[in-house]
DNA sequence: AATGAATGAGCGTTCATTCAT
DNA sequence: TATGAATGAACGCTCATTCAT
């Protein structure tokens, strides 16, 4: 999923915001290509073509920069979730979202980004919060669709289903992602996921 | 899952192997508590109570130490997989393994270890290899059980099922793991996983 | 031969260049007093009165620092060669240059510097290049004088003579240099060198 | 010039001496290939195929090992000097020795060894002493021949000539040695050296 | 808004040396 | 003799951060 610049109205960025974007783009690319372990302010500044003094004018500490970058990337994913719920019956939407998300796992930035995020979230509180918020919003999209599909489900049950489904999908990152050993199985796994989750939503016994 | 020391025969450790174990234990604990990003040879040596010169007598480079540690932890998980297939019908084994693995996600070391492993595997070849080998062995246990449960399935289909099931389970780490927001849902998710995967194995349409 | 600071105009050094000079001076003095084997960035930084972080702001690697230092010292020697060819007949210049160079061998920094340079040039490519360039320029001064002294010589012959003469002079470093056992013979060796080389240039049979 | 093992009689080395030789050979090869700067006891022990603990049983400190190695190499050169004075008239011997020594400069070990020796001798007293003793013995060979060639010379004058000649020859190491830019000129330089030094001995005005 | 300069801590690694066995 | 284990210092280098300009 592509990270997009915000604020398209009027084409009138503040210069500072522009520079921040350049920096965050540089940081994101370095993160994807080398991992958080190898991410340094020096490399970011170099890659963004500015001095590290100037970089720290925009982001006073590494943590702040990192969190700004994560927020931005996460926002990109959220924007894409919103665009999904548009066409077709709830069931069609449901199957479409499964396919879209699983397919997205195969892109390099998704394959690399999320494990970094999960790892970071275990050690940095600010990251935990941002990540949890993202998944909350993501799951809410699923919850809404699930309720439409099977109105017999309670809100709790729908939430539980959304949690199970989204978790299961995320787990495929490490196995069918970019350059992962089972990448070629992506299509088959989409089919298995669709029928399995569909059955669970429509006919499963969901704990109340 | 607990990492166990090997070499139970005769109680006669070589001194050097003992020291290596101490070092790897220290490294593992630091990894769990601070993440790979904060893992340094100095901290490991301190934590193991030896000088860093001595540490590097046992592990000439950080990479070698890290891979030895990962191999050891992974071996612990593999050992536990082997012990699972002992009692009951294939279906009982299947349900038991799902419960056991999902429940294990809630332990601190599992919750933290795997995201570190997934992240590392994207940037360090030796890690990729060890991780893939581990999951291969893990999935093979599932494949065997699945074939027993539904002999109508081809080897390919069983492999596909094992991949989908194991991936789905792994994905829960980030959400129901130790101190994760949905940790209390673990029991419910076990039930959903069990019925969902059982249905898929017995009645799903698995791509051939 | 004294290494001089460049940039005499206006007395307005850039601050950074000034600091670089301080560092290179410190490095040079340590090289002379302890040899390359004992030359470390820490000692250079200490000696220059700065932190080693700052030192590496100016010279990102030890190799770069060393080569900058060698270039600077070599430049000092080259400057002095240029100043030699000023007064008297070619033969007077020839004798003067022999005396000057041999006498210079007795200074501490020359006695110590050149063996370090020769040794380094065998193991570090960048050093080889800088050294060869220096000796090329040095020999060219001799070639010019030799051609003036004996116009019957071909360019090749003059080059061969310059090579033989300069090599022979360099060889004395180890024996008549600063605190070397034959240092007191310097005057006598100058006389032997002068008449020997003069005879070779004027009456020797130089291979064509 | 090849370094030879001593003690050819009876083929009955003590085992310890044998081991010492192995170690010193390893050290010498490492010195030639990487320079003193990169010479470490670890590498020597590895290269000799023994533990570093054992290495330090034979040579309690690095300095002692290095000096033993230098002594051994130097002894090899001295042995070769002794073999030279055998055939022909003094003048023939004189010309032969010049050719032999200059030609030897082109071998890799000579080209590399001597600059290391010269550099070391400026910083390590034990080395200075061994080196000076070697050159004394070497010059004595020349002194003897020179006195035979021109009996009119005083002992002092002969010594001065030997010093000038030997120094001049050594100086060529850096320029016509192994892989040095003027290596192909070796033959021509031998001729120039021979006639120049011959003239100086027979007709030069040597300071008394 | 941007740069250049500086710091101090920490990194992985290599080293000579010591010592018990 | 020979090894294995251990130390402590130093190495070149990178880092996040600070601050004056």
């Amino acid at each position: 999923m592509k990270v997009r610049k915000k604020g398209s109205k009027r084409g009138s960025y503040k210069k500072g915001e522009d520079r921040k974007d350049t920096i965050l783009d540089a940081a994101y690319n370095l993160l994807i290509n080398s991992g958080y372990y190898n991410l340094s302010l020096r490399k970011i500044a170099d890659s963004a073509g500015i001095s590290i003094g100037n970089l720290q004018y925009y982001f006073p500490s590494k943590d702040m920069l990192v969190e700004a970058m994560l927020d931005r990337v996460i926002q990109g994913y959220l924007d894409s979730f919103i665009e999904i719920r548009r066409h077709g019956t709830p069931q069609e939407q449901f199957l479409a979202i499964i396919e879209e998300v699983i397919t997205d796992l195969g892109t390099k930035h998704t394959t690399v980004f999320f494990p970094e995020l999960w790892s970071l979230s275990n050690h940095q509180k600010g990251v935990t919060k941002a990540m949890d918020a993202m998944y909350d919003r993501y799951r809410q999209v699923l919850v809404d669709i699930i309720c439409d599909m099977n109105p017999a489900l309670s809100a709790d049950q729908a939430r539980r289903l959304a949690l199970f489904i989204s978790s299961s999908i995320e787990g495929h990152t490490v196995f069918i992602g970019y350059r992962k050993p089972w990448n070629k199985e992506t299509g088959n796994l989409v089919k298995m996921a669709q029928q399995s989750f569909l059955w669970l939503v429509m006919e499963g016994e969901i704990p109340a």
Side-chain angles (χ1 to χ4, degrees), chain A:
Chain A
M1 177 183 318
K2 189 60 181 51
V3 176
R4 289 182 221 84
K5 288 182 191 169
K6 61 186 173 180
S8 54
K9 304 176 201 168
R10 272 181 298 209
S12 68
Y13 289 111
K14 279 186 198 166
K15 227 185 160 191
E17 287 303 310
D18 228 6
R19 190 42 60 96
K20 278 191 177 182
D21 281 348
T22 309
I23 293 169
L24 296 179
D25 278 345
Y28 179 62
N29 287 326
L30 287 167
L31 178 74
I32 296 309
N33 288 313
S34 315
Y36 184 72
Y37 184 79
N38 295 299
L39 189 65
S40 81
L41 296 184
R42 269 167 177 70
K43 287 176 191 162
I44 296 169
D46 277 1
S47 174
I50 61 172
S51 72
I52 105 163
N54 192 19
L55 182 149
Q56 280 180 293
Y57 167 79
Y58 289 101
F59 300 99
S61 79
K62 188 183 182 184
D63 280 3
M64 292 175 78
L65 188 155
V66 167
E67 292 190 16
M69 175 193 67
L70 298 182
D71 283 346
R72 190 149 159 284
V73 178
I74 283 171
Q75 188 57 46
Y77 283 95
L78 287 178
D79 289 349
S80 76
F81 297 147
I82 287 161
E83 283 168 23
I84 283 173
R85 271 219 76 181
R86 294 245 163 97
H87 317 292
T89 66
Q91 182 165 319
E92 283 166 354
Q93 290 172 16
F94 181 72
L95 298 177
I97 207 170
I98 290 171
E99 179 168 11
E100 175 147 350
V101 176
I102 294 185
T103 304
D104 180 62
L105 299 182
T107 62
K108 183 179 178 186
H109 44 268
T110 293
T111 300
V112 177
F113 177 74
F114 282 92
E116 300 291 334
L117 180 66
W118 300 334
S119 156
L120 263 174
S121 78
N122 279 327
H123 308 289
Q124 224 167 298
K125 286 216 163 166
V127 177
T128 318
K129 218 180 131 189
M131 184 185 86
D132 288 344
M134 174 192 73
Y135 280 120
D136 279 348
R137 289 261 310 265
Y138 165 30
R139 270 191 311 270
Q140 193 53 50
V141 175
L142 283 179
V143 165
D144 292 346
I145 297 176
I146 288 167
C147 286
D148 285 355
M149 288 168 72
N150 185 350
L153 295 165
S154 72
D156 264 9
Q157 288 175 311
R159 228 176 283 131
R160 227 159 253 138
L161 276 164
L163 174 60
F164 176 76
I165 291 168
S166 63
S167 301
S168 297
I169 293 175
E170 292 299 277
H172 286 73
T173 311
V174 186
F175 304 97
I176 64 169
Y178 179 74
R179 290 198 173 157
K180 295 295 179 183
W182 300 93
N183 179 263
K184 279 177 254 166
E185 288 286 336
T186 303
N188 290 329
L189 285 164
V190 166
K191 282 171 203 152
M192 292 163 73
Q194 286 174 327
Q195 62 174 297
S196 162
F197 299 146
L198 185 56
W199 177 85
L200 195 65
V201 168
M202 303 309 290
E203 309 193 33
E205 261 182 51
I206 311 307

